[in-house]
Amino acid sequence: MTRRKFLGWIGAAAGAGAVMGGSASAASTKHFKGYPGSLGVLHDITRCIGCRQCERACNTVNALPEPQQPFDDLSVLNQERRTTSHAYTVVNRFQGEDKAHPTFVKIQCNHCLEPACASVCFVKAFRKDRTGAVTYDASLCVGCRYCMIACPFNIPAYEYNKAFTPRVMKCTLCLPRIEKGLLPGCVASCPKEALTFGPREKLIKEARRRIQRFPQTYVDHIYGETEMGGTSWLYLSARPFGELGMREDLGIQPAPSLTAGPLSAVPIVVGLWPVLLTGIYAISRRKDQIAAQERIEAIAATVADANEEMKVKLAELKDKMNKEKEAAINLEVKKALEEAAKPSEAEKQPAEEIGAAEKRKEEK
């Protein structure tokens, strides 16, 4: 398939959609303020010591692969990290003016009250649960990864290493444990009580109480209370959140109101999806064929170059051997001529005898 033909298909399908289509309904702009009594976690950053026990617990609870560096290796804190498909949560260290007391911040999915990932997912693979957790259904996911682009916290990760069953991976708020009446793994493992789990409204009250009681300790702001319409994870800090890698430019407007416009085109995109996938497959197949042909031509050219180089080397070797042979022959001829030029023993004897006779006459 040519690129021109593929684009023609797209244009035809888009035109058909416009003719048949009626109005494409935009995504809802209704402001959802969260389920009453929904749960969350308060992360008091001033208490975090960067021990990474929360990372270990998350790894165990979710049966994730072992990391390359063990959890007691704190050298990983020397670089700022983000979540991956194998690490739903990570702790980063931020050095301030007080070199002896760095600040540690745990990051994971913030489980927004109105999740951007859910608002852009046209197959509804993401859903805000009544508990507060943002859940993900891999069986619905088509792998478009709009959720990764939409997330203002840069959290969802994709399993690029799985060719046939890739998933979008992120923190689940340990929903299976919550449903059993257990704490999320990270909360249960924190040795400094830097993480507090409970109803979001109570967590906000507790955060305000701490700020009022220790105003010299905390910045007068609860991060997550209003950012992007609010999140289920809330943060307290002694330093401005912008110094800790946390975005302060998000505003209080929830994600769905921002994505409503772009999502109005989603029904058309869904209609074009089979055509799009077919076109991508055809183009990809054509590219594979071209790549295979280029590989064959490259191999043939390499073989031809090797043969030519071998011919040159053989000619050089043959010429060298001929010269060595000719030199050896010349040497032997020279030796033979020198040998032939020497007088024989028979020729030497008369001369010696004549010399001896002349010597005897002189003596007489």
Side-chain angles (χ1 to χ4, degrees), residues 131-207:
T131 59
V134 176
T135 62
Y136 166 70
D137 187 345
S139 66
L140 299 176
C141 182
V142 297
C144 68
R145 285 164 281 168
Y146 287 168
C147 52
M148 297 175 64
I149 299 172
C151 178
F153 304 106
N154 194 29
I155 293 299
Y158 194 65
E159 291 181 315
Y160 290 101
N161 59 329
K162 291 187 176 180
F164 299 106
T165 58
R167 297 169 297 173
V168 175
M169 308 296 283
K170 71 171 195 67
C171 164
T172 64
L173 200 62
C174 284
L175 181 58
R177 289 174 60 89
I178 292 175
E179 291 174 338
K180 294 178 183 177
L182 301 173
L183 291 173
C186 58
V187 177
S189 66
C190 182
K192 302 297 290 185
E193 297 183 350
L195 305 175
T196 305
F197 178 74
R200 183 174 182 273
E201 293 302 321
K202 288 187 177 180
L203 294 178
I204 292 175
K205 291 179 180 178
E206 171 61 17

Side-chain angles (χ1 to χ4, degrees), residues 192-353:
K192 302 297 290 185
E193 297 183 350
L195 305 175
T196 305
F197 178 74
R200 183 174 182 273
E201 293 302 321
K202 288 187 177 180
L203 294 178
I204 292 175
K205 291 179 180 178
E206 171 61 17
R208 286 177 179 157
R209 186 190 68 81
R210 292 184 190 180
I211 293 174
Q212 291 175 358
R213 187 175 181 185
F214 305 104
Q216 72 283 5
T217 301
Y218 298 103
V219 172
D220 188 12
H221 179 66
I222 305 171
Y223 191 93
E225 182 179 9
T226 57
E227 277 76 8
M228 294 296 292
T231 63
S232 294
W233 272 76
L234 305 163
Y235 301 82
L236 285 177
S237 172
R239 295 171 55 185
F241 292 100
E243 296 180 4
L244 305 178
M246 303 172 73
R247 294 183 60 181
E248 294 182 315
D249 61 340
L250 298 175
I252 62 174
Q253 196 171 3
S257 62
L258 301 174
T259 56
L263 286 180
S264 64
V266 165
I268 294 178
V269 173
V270 173
L272 292 175
W273 197 247
V275 178
L276 180 66
L277 292 179
T278 303
I280 291 174
Y281 171 74
I283 290 176
S284 177
R285 187 174 179 183
R286 175 59 179 160
K287 289 175 65 178
D288 291 342
Q289 292 174 344
I290 293 174
Q293 182 62 31
E294 289 177 348
R295 282 197 297 271
I296 293 173
E297 292 176 356
I299 292 172
T302 302
V303 171
D305 291 343
N307 289 337
E308 188 64 27
E309 185 178 0
M310 184 177 294
K311 286 181 181 179
V312 172
K313 288 186 176 180
L314 285 174
E316 292 175 351
L317 181 61
K318 186 177 180 181
D319 183 60
K320 181 180 179 182
M321 292 178 66
N322 287 336
K323 289 180 179 178
E324 290 178 352
K325 183 178 179 181
E326 184 178 352
I329 292 173
N330 291 337
L331 180 61
E332 293 301 323
V333 170
K334 183 180 178 182
K335 288 180 180 178
L337 292 175
E338 290 176 352
E339 191 66 27
K342 291 181 180 178
S344 63
E345 293 298 329
E347 292 173 339
K348 287 181 180 178
Q349 187 171 4
E352 291 174 354
E353 290 177 354

Side-chain angles (χ1 to χ4, degrees), residues 35 111-113 115 117-119 121 124-137 140 170 175 179:
Y35 291 108
H111 297 274
C112 303
L113 299 185
C117 54
S119 68
C121 184
K124 306 300 181 186
F126 285 92
R127 183 174 60 86
K128 181 69 174 178
D129 188 77
R130 288 186 174 277
T131 59
V134 176
T135 62
Y136 166 70
D137 187 345
L140 299 176
K170 71 171 195 67
L175 181 58
E179 291 174 338

